[in-house]
Amino acid sequence: MFDDELHSLKLSDDGTYTAYSKEYDEHYHSTKDGALKESLQKHVIPAFKVKQNQDEVHILDICYGLGFNTLATLYHHKKNNLNTKLCIYSPELDAELVASLKHFTYPKEFEDFKEIILKLSKECIYEDENLYIEIFLGDAREYVKSFKDKFDIVYQDAFSPSANPALWTLEYFKDIKEAMKQDGILTTYSTALKTRLALYQNGFNVYLNSGDGYRNATTASTLKLDEFTLVDMEHKIACNEGVEPLRD
C-alpha cells in the first residue's frame, strides 16, 4: 500500500490522486487544479510550447515527489508524437517515497509507463533509446550545483516557499540559472512576488502562465518568450515597497 505514517492519498478535483505530506503539511499538488492537470498545464505544456522542436531536451524536475511532472512529460511526448529525446534529472530527498511509488494509484494516462515507474522505484534510473531518467536521492541544492549550462527546461515544483524555503531563495535561483542553458525555460506554480523577485533579480524575464480551468502560474526565461504575457516587475516592485526575495 502507498499510504504510510508520512503520506496519505488524496483525490484531487480532476479525478486523479495526489498525496498529503504530513512532514511538510502540504499536498504534492493543488487539489483544486488536480494532480495531472497541474503537471500538464503549469509545467509540461508551457515548457514544450517553447521546446518541442528540439532533437534532444534536458529537463531538471525539482523535486521528483510522486513523479507526476516526469510522467506527464512522457504522456505529452507520446500523445503528440514528438520525436525529441528526453533526458530528465530529478532530485528527491525522500528515498522511501520513491520506493513506494510502485504502489501509487496513478491516472490511466500513465498506464503505458508502468515498467518505467517500477524500475525507477527500484533503481532510480531508467534508460532506453529515446529516454533517460535519473532520480538523485539527496539534497537538491547540492545536486543543482553539479550542472552548468545543461538544462533546456526546469520544472520548479518543490513544496511551497513557506514549507520549504531553501528551494525558493535568491541564491537557489542563481544556481538554477547557472545550471540552465541560455535559452532555457523555467516553469512553476508559484505566483508569489518573492518568488518572482528571486527570479527577476537573477536576470530572468517573468511571465504569466494563465488559462481556462487552472489557477495562474509563472514561466521565466532570460530570453524573450512571445508565447506568454510579460509581468511588469518594476511596477510590481514600485507597488510593494520594501518587499525582498527569500534569502539563504
Side-chain angles (χ1 to χ4, degrees), residues 45-62:
I45 291 173
F48 278 86
K49 278 184 181 178
V50 180
K51 296 297 180 182
Q52 68 179 4
N53 294 323
Q54 293 186 193
D55 292 334
E56 186 168 308
V57 173
H58 290 80
I59 300 170
L60 177 62
D61 182 6
I62 303 279

